[in-house]
């Protein structure tokens, strides 16, 4: 278990300068680069931990998984986003901005009405996910590459999902409390919704990682979530003080469907057995 405290301590040590810098200049154009560097601190901490404990980096779960797990990682965020946003649009809890999105796409691509939106969706689904994966990999080497297997040596799946998700949530707190990583809802609402959603999404990532014995499905899950949420669905939605309670990854809607996705995944796909379970069963 000494591996876990070392990894967490190094993650805090590596991440602290970026959190402080983001607080000092939250609106600076370089903030995006700060955020990208911050996302790589868990991965760097994991690699450093391996070095300190004499463990070969190659022992992390690098292998490419079976296709079904890769596709699940890609598709699950699309499913829970489609379960949340059209309902928010239809009920008016978070009004749709489809015309505004299409106008922006037409201006960007010089294409006709409707066609520009289709091109934007295709670009997000391909290049957008690939770009998001470059940052997500930095986190997932740490969270699901090192931390989840280490927790699975001691805990059953739900313990792994809860502890891993809570640590992941706490890691985001400086960005929420010190910088501008939120959608404008009251802090208490933001923390409650984002906390529940992060733990649920972390549970899905842990499920995929343990089933596939690979960190790559979690990378695809993380990248797909970020790309489709930030580049597509949020931009198709009017985010104002009222809708901020419901939309974005800090609102009730998306985080509720993420919880449902985790429960359905465990119901339909079963709960993964961990190394700790196998030891207890002899």
């Amino acid at each position: 278990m000494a591996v876990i405290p070392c990894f967490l301590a190094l993650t805090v040590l590596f991440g602290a300068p970026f959190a402080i810098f983001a607080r000092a200049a939250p609106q600076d154009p370089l903030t995006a680069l700060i955020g990208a560097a911050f996302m790589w601190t868990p991965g760097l901490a994991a690699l450093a931990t391996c070095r300190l404990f004499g463990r070969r980096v190659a022992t992390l779960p690098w292998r490419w998984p079976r296709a079904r797990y890769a596709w699940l990682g890609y598709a699950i965020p699309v499913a829970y986003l489609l379960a949340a946003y059209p309902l928010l649009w239809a009920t008016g809890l978070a009004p749709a901005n489809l015309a505004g999105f299409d106008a922006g796409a037409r201006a960007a691509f010089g294409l006709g009405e409707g066609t520009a939106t289709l091109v934007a969706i295709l670009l997000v689904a391909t290049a957008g996910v690939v770009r998001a994966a470059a940052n997500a990999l930095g986190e997932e080497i740490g969270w699901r590459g090192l931390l989840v297997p280490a927790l699975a040596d001691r805990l059953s799946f739900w313990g792994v999902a809860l502890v891993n998700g809570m640590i992941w949530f706490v890691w985001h707190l400086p960005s929420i409390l010190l910088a501008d990583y939120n959608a404008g809802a009251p802090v208490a609402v933001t923390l409650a919704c984002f906390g529940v959603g992060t733990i649920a999404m972390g549970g899905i990532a842990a499920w995929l990682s343990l089933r596939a014995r690979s960190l790559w499905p979690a990378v695809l899950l993380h990248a797909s979530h970020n790309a489709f949420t930030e580049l597509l669905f949020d931009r198709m939605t009017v985010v104002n003080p009222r809708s901020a309670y419901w939309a974005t990854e800090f609102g009730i809607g998306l985080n509720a469907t993420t919880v449902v996705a985790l429960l359905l995944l465990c119901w339909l796909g079963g709960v993964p057995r961990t190394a700790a379970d196998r030891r207890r069963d002899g």
Side-chain angles (χ1 to χ4, degrees):
M1 286 293 284
V3 167
I4 296 176
C6 178
F7 163 68
L8 296 178
L10 289 175
T11 300
V12 172
L13 179 65
F14 294 165
F18 297 104
I20 293 169
F21 190 19
R23 170 59 176 167
Q27 302 301 323
D28 191 281
L30 291 176
T31 301
L33 295 178
I34 297 168
F38 185 57
M39 288 179 72
W40 265 90
T41 55
L44 295 175
L47 299 178
T49 300
C50 288
R51 176 81 178 190
L52 289 172
F53 282 82
R55 177 179 174 183
R56 291 188 302 117
V57 171
T59 61
L60 296 176
W62 296 108
R63 71 178 187 129
W64 189 253
R66 293 179 183 176
R68 63 179 174 177
Y69 293 117
W71 280 112
L72 273 174
Y74 182 94
I76 287 172
V78 178
Y80 60 61
L81 282 159
L82 286 173
Y85 276 79
L87 181 60
L88 296 178
W89 297 338
T91 58
L93 292 171
N97 185 33
L98 302 181
F101 180 87
D102 187 67
R106 277 184 283 144
F109 304 129
L111 298 173
E113 185 175 348
T115 303
T117 291
L118 178 59
V119 169
I121 292 171
L122 291 174
L123 284 173
V124 170
T126 52
V129 172
V130 171
R131 184 178 125 182
N135 292 336
L137 176 61
E139 287 194 47
E140 296 307 326
I141 292 171
W143 304 136
R144 262 61 70 168
L146 185 141
L147 183 58
V148 161
L151 291 171
D153 281 339
R154 301 286 179 176
L155 303 171
S156 294
F157 171 73
W158 289 110
V160 173
L162 180 62
V163 175
N164 174 68
M166 289 182 67
I167 291 172
W168 196 24
F169 168 59
V170 170
W171 180 80
H172 283 92
L173 287 180
S175 300
I176 296 172
L177 298 176
L178 302 179
D180 58 352
Y181 186 53
N182 57 72
V187 173
V189 174
T190 293
L191 292 177
C193 292
F194 188 76
V196 169
T198 301
I199 291 171
M201 186 178 166
I204 296 171
W207 190 99
L208 291 168
S209 300
L210 292 170
R211 283 286 194 217
R213 297 182 182 179
S214 169
L215 60 83
W216 292 107
V219 173
L220 290 169
L221 176 87
H222 197 159
S224 179
H225 173 94
N226 286 355
F228 281 103
T229 303
E230 297 168 10
L231 301 179
L232 204 62
F233 284 93
D234 282 356
R235 297 189 182 194
M236 290 179 169
T237 305
V238 176
V239 179
N240 54 40
R242 179 170 177 265
S243 65
Y245 282 83
W246 297 94
T248 80
E249 57 187 359
F250 307 100
I252 296 169
L254 174 56
N255 292 302
T257 58
T258 306
V259 171
V260 172
L262 171 62
L263 297 177
L264 283 174
L265 186 64
C266 291
W267 180 44
L268 297 173
V271 175
R273 285 171 50 80
T274 65
D277 292 330
R278 289 189 286 271
R279 280 198 305 274
R280 278 193 293 269
D281 295 343

